[in-house]
Amino acid sequence: MSDVLDTEGMRLFAENDSPMARHLGFRTISATRDRVVVEMEVRAEHGNRNGMMHGGLVMALADNTGGTATFLNLPEGAGTTTIESKTNFFAAVPVGETVRAEATPLHRGRSTQVWQTRIIRADGKLAALVTQTQMVLR
């Protein structure tokens, strides 16, 4: 991953991604306090029995993207954990495509943050919509 700068010039490096995100091939495209974009190539090992991106991986991609967005909005010394996640699936993502996750905030409070992540297929069609609540750990 190339360096990504947030709106205040904070440099994010691939080493700061979770081991799982690196293992699955998530690539941070842009990251600001207001929007995080992550892409991944859907490889054969990411597929379900029908040759489509596994639904659990869709959720993992959204969770990682929303968690990253929350992290960028935390006060110094705080952490985060997902306490709720809801996924609506609209269209399958074929193996071999690159999928994009775009997280934007719905709520940024002192004790929780709520992020909506759109999972978008290569053809621009909405594949899934994930809403997650992140608890702020102080």
Side-chain angles (χ1 to χ4, degrees):
M1 177 184 92
S2 60
D3 292 352
V4 177
L5 300 179
D6 76 3
T7 56
E8 296 176 0
M10 181 172 75
R11 197 169 295 282
L12 304 174
F13 297 100
E15 302 87 57
N16 291 331
D17 285 340
S18 72
M20 184 205 67
R22 288 193 307 271
H23 173 73
L24 293 173
F26 299 171
R27 294 181 311 276
T28 302
I29 304 304
S30 63
T32 69
R33 293 190 189 321
D34 296 320
R35 184 171 180 259
V36 173
V37 178
V38 176
E39 289 184 348
M40 71 169 293
E41 179 186 343
V42 181
R43 301 184 309 254
E45 61 269 24
H46 298 143
N48 62 21
R49 291 176 189 90
N50 301 315
M52 300 294 168
M53 182 178 184
H54 192 283
L57 183 56
V58 169
M59 296 168 73
L61 176 60
D63 185 63
N64 187 80
T65 305
T68 298
T70 301
F71 175 80
L72 292 173
N73 285 274
L74 291 174
E76 183 147 347
T80 185
T81 189
T82 305
I83 59 173
E84 185 274 337
S85 185
K86 160 105 172 56
T87 305
N88 288 100
F89 294 96
F90 300 108
V93 178
V95 167
E97 282 194 4
T98 297
V99 68
R100 175 179 282 238
E102 299 178 357
T104 55
L106 298 177
H107 168 74
R108 287 181 278 196
R110 289 185 305 132
S111 60
T112 62
Q113 294 187 31
V114 180
W115 289 84
Q116 183 176 74
T117 303
R118 298 170 54 84
I119 306 297
I120 303 165
R121 299 181 342 166
D123 64 3
K125 189 170 185 177
L126 182 64
L129 185 65
V130 180
T131 304
Q132 66 179 223
T133 304
Q134 297 278 349
M135 182 182 341
V136 176
L137 305 171
R138 295 183 187 269

